[in-house]
């Protein structure tokens, strides 16, 4: 797994790492204010990211390594295969989009405190 994707997520304002299935269990989540914006499956080499449904469909049509969210709501989440031909700049942009979607969904008081 490319650690700089993990570091990039953790450098987002207010982001924390969490293990929803227990300490050091795969997958691990990166959250903002208790909400997941990135879910890393290290053993599989997958990254799940939240995505606007229209954009998600377009990304899946354009890239074979972007698929409906693994174990997630297929309409609102994409799975990105990290060891792929997908440009890293595109993955960083998808991380930004996921983070922004989650932050926008937070109550105003929480957004302002981040």
């Amino acid at each position: 797994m490319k650690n700089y994707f993990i570091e990039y997520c953790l450098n987002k304002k207010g982001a924390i790492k969490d293990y929803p299935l227990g300490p050091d269990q795969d997958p691990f989540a990166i959250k903002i204010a208790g909400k997941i914006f990135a879910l890393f499956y290290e053993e599989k080499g997958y990254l799940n990211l939240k995505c606007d449904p229209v954009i998600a469909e377009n990304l899946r049509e354009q890239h074979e390594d972007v698929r409906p969210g693994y174990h997630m709501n297929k309409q609102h989440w994409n799975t990105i295969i990290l060891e792929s031909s997908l440009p890293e700049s595109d993955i960083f942009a998808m991380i930004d989009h996921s983070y922004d979607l989650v932050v926008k969904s937070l109550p105003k008081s929480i957004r302002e405190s981040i």
Side-chain angles (χ1 to χ4, degrees):
M1 170 93 30
K2 296 182 177 174
N3 286 338
Y4 48 86
F5 291 127
I6 298 166
E7 290 172 23
Y8 186 76
C9 289
L10 289 171
N11 283 328
K12 296 283 188 190
K13 196 167 184 182
I16 62 159
K17 190 174 187 179
D18 185 44
Y19 293 89
L21 301 179
D24 299 320
Q25 294 292 310
D26 210 29
F28 67 86
I30 310 292
K31 296 181 175 182
I32 175 78
K35 298 204 177 268
I36 297 172
F37 73 91
L39 192 63
F40 286 89
Y41 288 86
E42 285 192 295
E43 291 172 12
K44 295 183 181 295
Y46 295 171
L47 168 59
N48 283 359
L49 296 169
K50 194 164 184 73
C51 192
D52 174 90
V54 174
I55 295 171
E57 196 60 42
N58 288 337
L59 288 169
R60 293 173 200 162
E61 289 173 6
Q62 294 171 19
H63 304 286
E64 68 179 60
D65 293 318
V66 178
R67 302 176 182 164
Y70 177 73
H71 286 292
M72 304 294 270
N73 179 317
K74 309 283 187 244
Q75 185 178 0
H76 295 276
W77 288 84
N78 278 337
T79 294
I80 291 85
I81 310 304
L82 292 175
E83 299 298 326
S84 69
S85 61
L86 201 59
E88 291 177 358
S89 59
D90 288 359
I91 297 173
F92 287 125
M94 288 183 231
I95 290 169
D96 291 342
H97 178 67
S98 181
Y99 177 84
D100 291 343
L101 280 176
V102 173
V103 169
K104 285 178 190 172
S105 75
L106 298 171
K108 185 178 181 182
S109 61
I110 294 174
R111 281 195 316 266
E112 290 174 348
S113 71
I114 295 172

